[in-house]
Amino acid sequence: MDCGSFKIKKLKNSLKYYLPRVEGYLEVIKQLSAEFQGMSLIEFDGYFENKIEPAKYVMAEVHLDILDENKIIEQANCIRTQLNQKSLAIQINNELILVDGN
């Protein structure tokens, strides 16, 4: 059975951004989709700082081969300020990182 030639690529790093659906979040999604080739989006209710948040959240997940953790954290801080948030959560390879502006 010959199904033709193909290539595979394994992307070993997972990166998730937890974005509140507030004004400006769509611009952030557009920026992330321009930077990364593939992305999945999941919407959920937020539970942060020991309370249910009134805003919905979107988890944007991308996969990378090479990952610069410091660059990703700096990018998350820029997203946090762009969305006018006190903090922003990201997850790098199943490790949750909270970027806090205070």
Side-chain angles (χ1 to χ4, degrees), residues 34-47:
E35 182 175 349
F36 303 106
Q37 293 179 352
M39 177 171 46
S40 63
L41 300 173
I42 298 172
E43 184 177 275
F44 63 96
D45 292 323
Y47 182 77

Side-chain angles (χ1 to χ4, degrees), residues 15-19 32 36 58-60 62 72 75 79 89-90:
L15 176 58
K16 298 174 186 169
Y17 295 86
Y18 295 94
L19 305 171
L32 293 175
F36 303 106
V58 170
M59 180 188 71
V62 297
I72 296 298
Q75 178 189 39
I79 291 170
I90 59 173

Side-chain angles (χ1 to χ4, degrees), residues 28-74:
V28 172
I29 296 294
K30 288 177 187 176
Q31 290 169 4
L32 293 175
S33 66
E35 182 175 349
F36 303 106
Q37 293 179 352
M39 177 171 46
S40 63
L41 300 173
I42 298 172
E43 184 177 275
F44 63 96
D45 292 323
Y47 182 77
F48 295 102
E49 298 179 359
N50 296 324
K51 63 182 181 217
I52 299 222
E53 299 284 325
K56 294 279 189 191
Y57 280 77
V58 170
M59 180 188 71
E61 181 175 13
V62 297
H63 298 278
L64 312 156
D65 188 28
I66 300 170
L67 181 129
D68 181 344
E69 190 170 311
N70 289 331
K71 180 182 171 192
I72 296 298
I73 292 171
E74 287 177 15

